Amino acid sequence: MDLLKKKILEEGEVYEGNILKVDGFLNHRIDVPFMRQVGKEFHRLFKDEGINKILTIEASGIAIGALVAQEFACPLVFAKKTKTKNIAGDVYTSQVESFTHGTTYDIIVSKRFLDKNDKVLIVDDFLAIGNALNGLIDLVNASGASLAGCGVVIEKGFQHGGDKLREQGINVQSLAIVESMDHDTGMVYFRD
Amino acid sequence: MDLLKKKILEEGEVYEGNILKVDGFLNHRIDVPFMRQVGKEFHRLFKDEGINKILTIEASGIAIGALVAQEFACPLVFAKKTKTKNIAGDVYTSQVESFTHGTTYDIIVSKRFLDKNDKVLIVDDFLAIGNALNGLIDLVNASGASLAGCGVVIEKGFQHGGDKLREQGINVQSLAIVESMDHDTGMVYFRD
C-alpha cells in the first residue's frame, strides 16, 4: 500500500535494535481517517473469503480491528492478555512470548465469541517474529473456526515471522513489509 | 439512546456486586455495526464543540474511540496503562485506582500527542465511580488542552461518578444511565 509506505517514510522513526516507531499514526495516536483507508485495503484483499469475524489482540490491534470489521460489517473480537491462569473452561487460551518485554503472557478469548461457524480474519498492527499471530491462530484452531488469513499493517520482513506463516500455507497480507532499516540514516527499505 | 437501552436489556447480564456484563457487544466481542451507530450519536451530541481530538484509555475504550474519531474525522489518542513509573519528562501521567481489581496504575500520554491547541472529547465504555475519567481529565488539564466533554456508553448512575463530574461543570453525556440493577431477576432500570 503506497500511501502507507509514504507515511512510514515521512513519520516513522528508526531506533537502534531494529525498532520502528510509528506511534504517531498507528499505536498511540491513531490517525483514524488514514487508518480507515487501511481498513478498506484489507477489505479489498479479503472480501471474497466469506469472513464473518475479525480477531485481534489488545491493545494496539483494536483500533485497526474495529475499522476493518466496519468494512466487513461484522463483529470484532479481541483476545485479552492476562497474567493469571484462567482455570475455568469457558475460554480458549494460548501463550505468547513478548520479544520486546522478555516476558510470557496468556491470551484468552471467551468460547462464546469464537466457534466452528466462524470464518476469521486475524488483524494486527505489527508482525515480527510472529508470536502474537501464532497465539491468535492457536485460538482459532482450538475453536474449530476457519482461518481466512492474517492482515498485518507493518511486517518486519527481516524477522521472518511472516515467511514462516506463509510456508505453512496461511494467507498473510502485509500492507508494508520492511526489509531493512538503518538507524544512522533513519532510512527504511521495503521488500520488492 | 433507545437502541442501546434495548441492547442492554436484551444482551446484558446482571451479576452480584452490581456487575453488568455486556462483553457480547461492548468490550470483548464488539458489535461494530452497532457501535458505529453509537459513534454517530456522540458526534450528534458534540458536533458543535470544535473537537479535533478524541482521548480514551486502553483497552476497552479504543474501539468506541476509533469509531467516534471517524465521525469527527480526527485522530484518536489512547492513554496507556503502566505499572512502571515513567521518569522521563516526555509524558503526561496520572494515577487511576481500579475499583474492580483493587489496584492502582499509572496512565500516560506522550506530550507529543496532546497540547494546548487541542479541543478534546474523552470517550469511554463505562463510567462508575469515575476514576478512569478523572485520570484522563488530569492528562488533558496537564497538557493545557481544552476539554469539550466526556462521552460515555454506559454510566452506572448509582455510583455517582457522572453526577460529581457534572457538578464540576463538565459536559458528561452518557448514552444509557443505569439507575439500578437486580441480579435476582436480571432486570436493569434506567434513569429518567
Side-chain angles (χ1 to χ4, degrees), chain A residues 13 21 23-24 27-30 32-33 36 58-59 62-63 66-67 69-70 73-78 80 108-110 112-113, chain B residues 13 21 23-24 27-30 32-33 36 58-59 62-63 66-67 69-70 73-78 80 108-110 112-113:
Chain A
E13 293 170 272
K21 206 167 173 182
D23 61 357
N27 45 28
H28 184 13
R29 176 188 184 274
I30 294 154
V32 172
R36 190 172 182 186
E58 65 174 354
I62 297 176
L67 296 169
Q70 172 175 270
C74 78
L76 167 71
V77 172
F78 68 87
K80 301 188 177 200
I108 58 167
V109 162
S110 170
R112 292 180 296 142
F113 302 142
Chain B
E13 293 171 90
K21 206 168 172 179
D23 61 357
N27 45 28
H28 184 14
R29 177 187 183 274
I30 295 155
V32 173
R36 190 173 183 185
E58 65 174 354
I62 297 176
L67 296 169
Q70 172 174 271
C74 77
L76 166 71
V77 173
F78 67 89
K80 300 186 178 201
I108 59 168
V109 162
S110 169
R112 291 180 297 143
F113 302 143

Short mmCIF file of all heavy atoms in Angstrom, two decimals, chain A residues 13 21 23-24 27-30 32-33 36 58-59 62-63 66-67 69-70 73-78 80 108-110 112-113, chain B residues 13 21 23-24 27-30 32-33 36 58-59 62-63 66-67 69-70 73-78 80 108-110 112-113:
data_model
loop_
_atom_site.label_atom_id
_atom_site.label_comp_id
_atom_site.label_asym_id
_atom_site.label_seq_id
_atom_site.Cartn_x
_atom_site.Cartn_y
_atom_site.Cartn_z
N GLU A 13 10.07 6.61 12.86
CA GLU A 13 11.40 6.88 13.39
C GLU A 13 12.10 5.56 13.65
O GLU A 13 11.50 4.64 14.24
CB GLU A 13 11.31 7.67 14.70
CG GLU A 13 10.76 9.08 14.53
CD GLU A 13 10.46 9.71 15.88
OE1 GLU A 13 9.34 9.53 16.38
OE2 GLU A 13 11.36 10.35 16.44
N LYS A 21 9.37 3.20 15.15
CA LYS A 21 8.36 3.85 15.96
C LYS A 21 7.37 4.57 15.05
O LYS A 21 7.75 5.48 14.31
CB LYS A 21 9.05 4.84 16.91
CG LYS A 21 8.27 5.12 18.17
CD LYS A 21 9.12 5.83 19.22
CE LYS A 21 8.26 6.24 20.40
NZ LYS A 21 9.03 6.97 21.42
N ASP A 23 4.23 5.52 16.41
CA ASP A 23 3.14 5.76 17.36
C ASP A 23 2.41 7.07 17.09
O ASP A 23 1.44 7.38 17.76
CB ASP A 23 3.64 5.66 18.81
CG ASP A 23 4.70 6.67 19.15
OD1 ASP A 23 5.13 7.42 18.24
OD2 ASP A 23 5.12 6.72 20.32
N GLY A 24 2.84 7.79 16.07
CA GLY A 24 2.11 9.00 15.69
C GLY A 24 0.90 8.73 14.82
O GLY A 24 0.03 9.60 14.67
N ASN A 27 -0.20 3.37 16.77
CA ASN A 27 -0.47 2.69 18.03
C ASN A 27 -0.33 3.49 19.33
O ASN A 27 -0.10 2.92 20.38
CB ASN A 27 0.35 1.38 18.13
CG ASN A 27 1.79 1.57 17.70
OD1 ASN A 27 2.32 2.66 17.83
ND2 ASN A 27 2.41 0.52 17.21
N HIS A 28 -0.51 4.81 19.24
CA HIS A 28 -0.68 5.59 20.48
C HIS A 28 -1.61 6.75 20.12
O HIS A 28 -2.71 6.87 20.63
CB HIS A 28 0.67 6.05 21.03
CG HIS A 28 0.60 6.78 22.34
ND1 HIS A 28 -0.53 6.80 23.13
CD2 HIS A 28 1.51 7.56 23.00
CE1 HIS A 28 -0.29 7.53 24.21
NE2 HIS A 28 0.92 8.00 24.16
N ARG A 29 -1.13 7.58 19.18
CA ARG A 29 -2.03 8.48 18.46
C ARG A 29 -2.41 7.74 17.18
O ARG A 29 -1.53 7.29 16.43
CB ARG A 29 -1.31 9.78 18.11
CG ARG A 29 -2.13 10.75 17.27
CD ARG A 29 -1.24 11.91 16.83
NE ARG A 29 -1.94 12.94 16.09
CZ ARG A 29 -2.16 12.91 14.78
NH1 ARG A 29 -1.76 11.90 14.05
NH2 ARG A 29 -2.79 13.92 14.18
N ILE A 30 -3.69 7.57 16.94
CA ILE A 30 -4.13 6.83 15.76
C ILE A 30 -4.75 7.79 14.77
O ILE A 30 -5.71 8.50 15.09
CB ILE A 30 -5.12 5.72 16.18
CG1 ILE A 30 -4.37 4.69 17.03
CG2 ILE A 30 -5.73 5.04 14.96
CD1 ILE A 30 -5.24 3.93 17.97
N VAL A 32 -7.04 8.19 12.49
CA VAL A 32 -8.22 7.39 12.13
C VAL A 32 -8.64 7.58 10.67
O VAL A 32 -8.92 6.59 9.99
CB VAL A 32 -9.38 7.65 13.12
CG1 VAL A 32 -10.66 6.99 12.66
CG2 VAL A 32 -9.00 7.14 14.52
N PRO A 33 -8.66 8.82 10.14
CA PRO A 33 -9.01 8.94 8.71
C PRO A 33 -8.06 8.12 7.83
O PRO A 33 -8.50 7.47 6.88
CB PRO A 33 -8.89 10.45 8.45
CG PRO A 33 -9.20 11.07 9.78
CD PRO A 33 -8.56 10.15 10.79
N ARG A 36 -8.67 4.34 8.32
CA ARG A 36 -9.89 3.89 7.63
C ARG A 36 -9.55 3.42 6.21
O ARG A 36 -10.12 2.44 5.73
CB ARG A 36 -10.87 5.06 7.59
CG ARG A 36 -12.22 4.64 7.13
CD ARG A 36 -13.22 5.75 7.27
NE ARG A 36 -14.53 5.27 6.85
CZ ARG A 36 -15.60 6.05 6.75
NH1 ARG A 36 -15.52 7.33 7.05
NH2 ARG A 36 -16.75 5.55 6.36
N GLU A 58 -5.50 -7.21 22.24
CA GLU A 58 -5.35 -5.89 22.85
C GLU A 58 -3.87 -5.55 22.97
O GLU A 58 -3.05 -6.44 23.06
CB GLU A 58 -6.03 -5.86 24.23
CG GLU A 58 -5.37 -6.77 25.26
CD GLU A 58 -5.98 -6.61 26.65
OE1 GLU A 58 -6.83 -5.71 26.86
OE2 GLU A 58 -5.62 -7.39 27.53
N ALA A 59 -3.51 -4.27 23.03
CA ALA A 59 -4.36 -3.13 22.88
C ALA A 59 -4.24 -2.53 21.47
O ALA A 59 -5.20 -2.03 20.91
CB ALA A 59 -4.00 -2.06 23.91
N ILE A 62 -6.69 -3.15 18.38
CA ILE A 62 -8.13 -2.92 18.46
C ILE A 62 -8.63 -1.84 17.50
O ILE A 62 -9.67 -2.01 16.85
CB ILE A 62 -8.54 -2.57 19.92
CG1 ILE A 62 -8.24 -3.75 20.85
CG2 ILE A 62 -10.02 -2.22 19.98
CD1 ILE A 62 -8.53 -3.47 22.32
N ALA A 63 -7.90 -0.75 17.37
CA ALA A 63 -8.37 0.34 16.51
C ALA A 63 -8.44 -0.13 15.05
O ALA A 63 -9.48 0.02 14.40
CB ALA A 63 -7.47 1.56 16.64
N ALA A 66 -11.27 -2.65 14.61
CA ALA A 66 -12.62 -2.06 14.53
C ALA A 66 -12.87 -1.48 13.14
O ALA A 66 -13.97 -1.63 12.59
CB ALA A 66 -12.79 -0.97 15.60
N LEU A 67 -11.84 -0.84 12.57
CA LEU A 67 -12.03 -0.21 11.26
C LEU A 67 -12.10 -1.25 10.14
O LEU A 67 -12.78 -1.04 9.13
CB LEU A 67 -10.92 0.82 11.02
CG LEU A 67 -10.98 2.00 12.02
CD1 LEU A 67 -9.72 2.85 11.93
CD2 LEU A 67 -12.23 2.85 11.82
N ALA A 69 -13.36 -4.39 10.74
CA ALA A 69 -14.67 -5.02 10.98
C ALA A 69 -15.80 -4.18 10.38
O ALA A 69 -16.78 -4.70 9.86
CB ALA A 69 -14.90 -5.21 12.49
N GLN A 70 -15.62 -2.87 10.45
CA GLN A 70 -16.62 -1.97 9.87
C GLN A 70 -16.79 -2.24 8.38
O GLN A 70 -17.91 -2.25 7.86
CB GLN A 70 -16.17 -0.53 10.10
CG GLN A 70 -17.01 0.49 9.39
CD GLN A 70 -16.57 1.88 9.78
OE1 GLN A 70 -17.08 2.45 10.74
NE2 GLN A 70 -15.63 2.45 9.06
N ALA A 73 -18.68 -5.25 7.91
CA ALA A 73 -19.96 -5.20 8.64
C ALA A 73 -20.12 -6.43 9.53
O ALA A 73 -21.17 -7.08 9.58
CB ALA A 73 -21.14 -5.07 7.67
N CYS A 74 -19.07 -6.75 10.26
CA CYS A 74 -19.08 -7.93 11.13
C CYS A 74 -18.51 -7.57 12.50
O CYS A 74 -17.96 -6.49 12.68
CB CYS A 74 -18.30 -9.07 10.48
SG CYS A 74 -16.51 -8.93 10.59
N PRO A 75 -18.63 -8.45 13.48
CA PRO A 75 -18.07 -8.14 14.81
C PRO A 75 -16.55 -8.26 14.85
O PRO A 75 -15.94 -8.96 14.03
CB PRO A 75 -18.68 -9.22 15.72
CG PRO A 75 -19.69 -9.94 14.91
CD PRO A 75 -19.35 -9.73 13.47
N LEU A 76 -15.99 -7.57 15.82
CA LEU A 76 -14.57 -7.68 16.17
C LEU A 76 -14.48 -8.38 17.52
O LEU A 76 -15.21 -8.03 18.45
CB LEU A 76 -13.95 -6.29 16.30
CG LEU A 76 -12.56 -6.21 16.96
CD1 LEU A 76 -11.49 -6.77 16.05
CD2 LEU A 76 -12.23 -4.76 17.34
N VAL A 77 -13.59 -9.36 17.64
CA VAL A 77 -13.29 -9.96 18.94
C VAL A 77 -11.83 -9.67 19.23
O VAL A 77 -10.98 -9.85 18.35
CB VAL A 77 -13.55 -11.48 18.94
CG1 VAL A 77 -13.06 -12.12 20.24
CG2 VAL A 77 -15.03 -11.76 18.73
N PHE A 78 -11.55 -9.17 20.44
CA PHE A 78 -10.12 -9.01 20.75
C PHE A 78 -9.74 -9.94 21.89
O PHE A 78 -10.43 -10.06 22.90
CB PHE A 78 -9.71 -7.56 21.00
CG PHE A 78 -10.25 -6.89 22.23
CD1 PHE A 78 -9.59 -6.98 23.45
CD2 PHE A 78 -11.41 -6.13 22.16
CE1 PHE A 78 -10.08 -6.34 24.57
CE2 PHE A 78 -11.91 -5.47 23.28
CZ PHE A 78 -11.24 -5.59 24.49
N LYS A 80 -7.69 -11.07 25.06
CA LYS A 80 -7.20 -10.32 26.20
C LYS A 80 -5.92 -10.94 26.71
O LYS A 80 -5.76 -12.16 26.71
CB LYS A 80 -8.26 -10.32 27.32
CG LYS A 80 -9.56 -9.70 26.85
CD LYS A 80 -10.55 -9.53 28.00
CE LYS A 80 -11.81 -8.85 27.49
NZ LYS A 80 -12.59 -8.24 28.56
N ILE A 108 -6.48 -14.89 26.03
CA ILE A 108 -7.73 -15.64 26.14
C ILE A 108 -8.82 -15.02 25.27
O ILE A 108 -8.84 -13.81 25.04
CB ILE A 108 -8.25 -15.70 27.60
CG1 ILE A 108 -8.47 -14.28 28.16
CG2 ILE A 108 -7.31 -16.48 28.50
CD1 ILE A 108 -9.26 -14.25 29.45
N VAL A 109 -9.70 -15.88 24.80
CA VAL A 109 -10.94 -15.46 24.15
C VAL A 109 -12.06 -16.33 24.71
O VAL A 109 -11.91 -17.55 24.83
CB VAL A 109 -10.87 -15.61 22.62
CG1 VAL A 109 -12.26 -15.58 21.99
CG2 VAL A 109 -10.03 -14.50 22.00
N SER A 110 -13.14 -15.69 25.07
CA SER A 110 -14.30 -16.44 25.56
C SER A 110 -14.80 -17.39 24.48
O SER A 110 -14.91 -17.03 23.31
CB SER A 110 -15.42 -15.45 25.93
OG SER A 110 -16.60 -16.17 26.17
N ARG A 112 -17.66 -18.24 24.01
CA ARG A 112 -18.93 -17.76 23.44
C ARG A 112 -18.72 -16.95 22.16
O ARG A 112 -19.67 -16.75 21.39
CB ARG A 112 -19.65 -16.86 24.46
CG ARG A 112 -20.16 -17.60 25.69
CD ARG A 112 -20.86 -16.66 26.63
NE ARG A 112 -19.95 -15.66 27.15
CZ ARG A 112 -20.26 -14.39 27.37
NH1 ARG A 112 -21.47 -13.93 27.08
NH2 ARG A 112 -19.38 -13.56 27.87
N PHE A 113 -17.49 -16.46 21.94
CA PHE A 113 -17.29 -15.48 20.87
C PHE A 113 -16.47 -16.00 19.69
O PHE A 113 -16.08 -15.22 18.82
CB PHE A 113 -16.67 -14.20 21.44
CG PHE A 113 -17.51 -13.57 22.51
CD1 PHE A 113 -16.93 -12.99 23.62
CD2 PHE A 113 -18.89 -13.59 22.42
CE1 PHE A 113 -17.71 -12.42 24.61
CE2 PHE A 113 -19.69 -13.02 23.40
CZ PHE A 113 -19.10 -12.44 24.51
N GLU B 13 -26.01 -8.97 31.03
CA GLU B 13 -26.23 -9.93 32.12
C GLU B 13 -25.86 -9.26 33.44
O GLU B 13 -24.81 -8.62 33.53
CB GLU B 13 -25.36 -11.17 31.92
CG GLU B 13 -25.75 -12.01 30.72
CD GLU B 13 -24.72 -13.10 30.44
OE1 GLU B 13 -24.86 -14.20 31.00
OE2 GLU B 13 -23.76 -12.82 29.71
N LYS B 21 -22.62 -7.20 32.70
CA LYS B 21 -21.73 -7.78 31.69
C LYS B 21 -22.32 -7.54 30.31
O LYS B 21 -23.42 -8.02 30.00
CB LYS B 21 -21.58 -9.29 31.98
CG LYS B 21 -20.29 -9.87 31.46
CD LYS B 21 -20.04 -11.27 32.02
CE LYS B 21 -18.85 -11.92 31.36
NZ LYS B 21 -18.57 -13.26 31.89
N ASP B 23 -20.14 -7.89 27.51
CA ASP B 23 -18.98 -8.18 26.68
C ASP B 23 -19.34 -8.83 25.35
O ASP B 23 -18.47 -9.08 24.52
CB ASP B 23 -17.94 -9.01 27.46
CG ASP B 23 -18.48 -10.35 27.91
OD1 ASP B 23 -19.67 -10.62 27.67
OD2 ASP B 23 -17.70 -11.12 28.49
N GLY B 24 -20.62 -9.04 25.12
CA GLY B 24 -21.05 -9.55 23.82
C GLY B 24 -21.15 -8.47 22.75
O GLY B 24 -21.20 -8.78 21.56
N ASN B 27 -17.22 -4.85 24.98
CA ASN B 27 -15.82 -4.86 25.38
C ASN B 27 -15.08 -6.20 25.38
O ASN B 27 -14.10 -6.35 26.10
CB ASN B 27 -15.64 -4.15 26.74
CG ASN B 27 -16.68 -4.58 27.75
OD1 ASN B 27 -17.17 -5.69 27.67
ND2 ASN B 27 -17.00 -3.71 28.69
N HIS B 28 -15.52 -7.12 24.55
CA HIS B 28 -14.69 -8.30 24.28
C HIS B 28 -15.00 -8.73 22.84
O HIS B 28 -14.14 -8.70 21.96
CB HIS B 28 -14.97 -9.41 25.29
CG HIS B 28 -14.10 -10.63 25.15
ND1 HIS B 28 -12.96 -10.66 24.40
CD2 HIS B 28 -14.21 -11.90 25.67
CE1 HIS B 28 -12.41 -11.87 24.45
NE2 HIS B 28 -13.14 -12.62 25.20
N ARG B 29 -16.26 -9.08 22.61
CA ARG B 29 -16.79 -9.11 21.24
C ARG B 29 -17.43 -7.75 21.03
O ARG B 29 -18.28 -7.33 21.82
CB ARG B 29 -17.84 -10.21 21.11
CG ARG B 29 -18.50 -10.29 19.73
CD ARG B 29 -19.65 -11.29 19.78
NE ARG B 29 -20.32 -11.48 18.51
CZ ARG B 29 -21.31 -10.73 18.05
NH1 ARG B 29 -21.76 -9.69 18.74
NH2 ARG B 29 -21.88 -10.99 16.89
N ILE B 30 -17.02 -7.05 19.99
CA ILE B 30 -17.55 -5.71 19.73
C ILE B 30 -18.44 -5.76 18.51
O ILE B 30 -18.01 -6.14 17.42
CB ILE B 30 -16.40 -4.70 19.56
CG1 ILE B 30 -15.64 -4.60 20.89
CG2 ILE B 30 -16.92 -3.33 19.15
CD1 ILE B 30 -14.23 -4.16 20.76
N VAL B 32 -19.49 -4.13 15.89
CA VAL B 32 -19.00 -2.91 15.23
C VAL B 32 -20.12 -2.18 14.47
O VAL B 32 -20.23 -0.96 14.59
CB VAL B 32 -17.77 -3.23 14.35
CG1 VAL B 32 -17.38 -2.01 13.52
CG2 VAL B 32 -16.60 -3.66 15.23
N PRO B 33 -20.97 -2.88 13.70
CA PRO B 33 -22.05 -2.12 13.03
C PRO B 33 -22.92 -1.37 14.04
O PRO B 33 -23.31 -0.22 13.80
CB PRO B 33 -22.83 -3.23 12.30
CG PRO B 33 -21.79 -4.28 12.04
CD PRO B 33 -20.92 -4.28 13.26
N ARG B 36 -20.94 1.59 15.57
CA ARG B 36 -20.84 2.70 14.62
C ARG B 36 -22.00 3.68 14.84
O ARG B 36 -21.83 4.90 14.73
CB ARG B 36 -20.86 2.14 13.20
CG ARG B 36 -20.51 3.18 12.19
CD ARG B 36 -20.37 2.58 10.81
NE ARG B 36 -19.97 3.63 9.88
CZ ARG B 36 -19.85 3.43 8.57
NH1 ARG B 36 -20.06 2.24 8.05
NH2 ARG B 36 -19.50 4.43 7.78
N GLU B 58 -6.72 2.59 27.15
CA GLU B 58 -6.73 1.19 26.74
C GLU B 58 -7.37 0.32 27.82
O GLU B 58 -7.35 0.70 28.97
CB GLU B 58 -5.31 0.70 26.45
CG GLU B 58 -4.40 0.68 27.68
CD GLU B 58 -3.03 0.05 27.37
OE1 GLU B 58 -2.80 -0.47 26.27
OE2 GLU B 58 -2.19 0.09 28.27
N ALA B 59 -7.90 -0.86 27.48
CA ALA B 59 -8.07 -1.35 26.14
C ALA B 59 -9.51 -1.15 25.68
O ALA B 59 -9.75 -0.91 24.49
CB ALA B 59 -7.76 -2.85 26.11
N ILE B 62 -10.83 1.73 23.23
CA ILE B 62 -10.21 2.01 21.93
C ILE B 62 -11.17 1.82 20.76
O ILE B 62 -11.21 2.64 19.85
CB ILE B 62 -8.95 1.14 21.73
CG1 ILE B 62 -7.89 1.50 22.79
CG2 ILE B 62 -8.37 1.35 20.34
CD1 ILE B 62 -6.64 0.63 22.74
N ALA B 63 -11.97 0.76 20.79
CA ALA B 63 -12.86 0.50 19.65
C ALA B 63 -13.88 1.64 19.52
O ALA B 63 -14.04 2.20 18.43
CB ALA B 63 -13.56 -0.85 19.82
N ALA B 66 -12.16 4.81 18.32
CA ALA B 66 -11.85 4.86 16.89
C ALA B 66 -13.10 5.20 16.08
O ALA B 66 -13.05 5.98 15.13
CB ALA B 66 -11.26 3.53 16.44
N LEU B 67 -14.24 4.62 16.49
CA LEU B 67 -15.46 4.85 15.72
C LEU B 67 -16.01 6.27 15.94
O LEU B 67 -16.64 6.83 15.05
CB LEU B 67 -16.50 3.77 16.06
CG LEU B 67 -16.05 2.36 15.64
CD1 LEU B 67 -16.96 1.29 16.23
CD2 LEU B 67 -15.97 2.22 14.13
N ALA B 69 -13.88 8.88 16.61
CA ALA B 69 -12.90 9.70 15.88
C ALA B 69 -13.21 9.72 14.39
O ALA B 69 -13.05 10.74 13.72
CB ALA B 69 -11.49 9.17 16.13
N GLN B 70 -13.67 8.59 13.88
CA GLN B 70 -14.03 8.53 12.47
C GLN B 70 -15.12 9.56 12.14
O GLN B 70 -15.06 10.22 11.10
CB GLN B 70 -14.53 7.12 12.16
CG GLN B 70 -15.13 6.96 10.79
CD GLN B 70 -15.47 5.52 10.53
OE1 GLN B 70 -14.62 4.77 10.04
NE2 GLN B 70 -16.67 5.11 10.86
N ALA B 73 -13.65 12.83 11.98
CA ALA B 73 -12.50 12.86 11.05
C ALA B 73 -11.26 13.44 11.73
O ALA B 73 -10.57 14.30 11.19
CB ALA B 73 -12.85 13.64 9.78
N CYS B 74 -11.02 12.96 12.94
CA CYS B 74 -9.88 13.46 13.72
C CYS B 74 -9.10 12.28 14.31
O CYS B 74 -9.57 11.14 14.27
CB CYS B 74 -10.36 14.42 14.81
SG CYS B 74 -11.10 13.63 16.24
N PRO B 75 -7.93 12.51 14.88
CA PRO B 75 -7.17 11.41 15.47
C PRO B 75 -7.75 10.96 16.82
O PRO B 75 -8.45 11.71 17.50
CB PRO B 75 -5.78 12.01 15.71
CG PRO B 75 -5.78 13.35 15.06
CD PRO B 75 -7.19 13.78 14.92
N LEU B 76 -7.42 9.72 17.15
CA LEU B 76 -7.70 9.14 18.47
C LEU B 76 -6.37 8.99 19.20
O LEU B 76 -5.40 8.49 18.62
CB LEU B 76 -8.34 7.77 18.31
CG LEU B 76 -8.40 6.89 19.56
CD1 LEU B 76 -9.43 7.44 20.55
CD2 LEU B 76 -8.75 5.44 19.19
N VAL B 77 -6.33 9.40 20.46
CA VAL B 77 -5.17 9.11 21.30
C VAL B 77 -5.65 8.23 22.44
O VAL B 77 -6.69 8.54 23.05
CB VAL B 77 -4.53 10.40 21.85
CG1 VAL B 77 -3.44 10.08 22.87
CG2 VAL B 77 -3.96 11.23 20.72
N PHE B 78 -4.96 7.13 22.69
CA PHE B 78 -5.36 6.36 23.87
C PHE B 78 -4.25 6.37 24.92
O PHE B 78 -3.08 6.20 24.62
CB PHE B 78 -5.82 4.94 23.54
CG PHE B 78 -4.79 3.98 23.01
CD1 PHE B 78 -4.02 3.21 23.87
CD2 PHE B 78 -4.63 3.81 21.65
CE1 PHE B 78 -3.10 2.30 23.39
CE2 PHE B 78 -3.70 2.90 21.14
CZ PHE B 78 -2.94 2.15 22.02
N LYS B 80 -2.08 4.97 27.87
CA LYS B 80 -1.60 3.62 28.16
C LYS B 80 -1.52 3.41 29.66
O LYS B 80 -1.16 4.33 30.40
CB LYS B 80 -0.22 3.42 27.53
CG LYS B 80 -0.27 3.60 26.02
CD LYS B 80 1.07 3.25 25.38
CE LYS B 80 0.94 3.40 23.87
NZ LYS B 80 1.96 2.65 23.14
N ILE B 108 -0.48 7.07 31.05
CA ILE B 108 0.41 8.04 30.40
C ILE B 108 -0.06 8.36 28.99
O ILE B 108 -0.67 7.54 28.31
CB ILE B 108 1.88 7.52 30.33
CG1 ILE B 108 1.95 6.20 29.54
CG2 ILE B 108 2.48 7.34 31.70
CD1 ILE B 108 3.36 5.79 29.17
N VAL B 109 0.23 9.59 28.60
CA VAL B 109 0.07 10.01 27.20
C VAL B 109 1.32 10.80 26.83
O VAL B 109 1.77 11.66 27.59
CB VAL B 109 -1.20 10.88 27.00
CG1 VAL B 109 -1.12 11.66 25.69
CG2 VAL B 109 -2.45 10.02 27.01
N SER B 110 1.87 10.50 25.67
CA SER B 110 3.03 11.24 25.19
C SER B 110 2.68 12.71 25.02
O SER B 110 1.62 13.06 24.49
CB SER B 110 3.48 10.66 23.84
OG SER B 110 4.44 11.52 23.26
N ARG B 112 3.79 14.61 22.95
CA ARG B 112 3.70 14.95 21.52
C ARG B 112 2.26 14.89 21.01
O ARG B 112 1.96 15.44 19.95
CB ARG B 112 4.56 13.98 20.69
CG ARG B 112 6.05 14.14 20.91
CD ARG B 112 6.82 13.16 20.05
NE ARG B 112 6.53 11.78 20.43
CZ ARG B 112 6.42 10.76 19.57
NH1 ARG B 112 6.56 10.96 18.28
NH2 ARG B 112 6.17 9.55 20.01
N PHE B 113 1.40 14.18 21.75
CA PHE B 113 0.08 13.88 21.18
C PHE B 113 -1.08 14.60 21.86
O PHE B 113 -2.25 14.29 21.62
CB PHE B 113 -0.15 12.37 21.19
CG PHE B 113 0.90 11.62 20.40
CD1 PHE B 113 1.35 10.39 20.84
CD2 PHE B 113 1.41 12.15 19.23
CE1 PHE B 113 2.33 9.71 20.11
CE2 PHE B 113 2.38 11.48 18.49
CZ PHE B 113 2.84 10.26 18.94
#
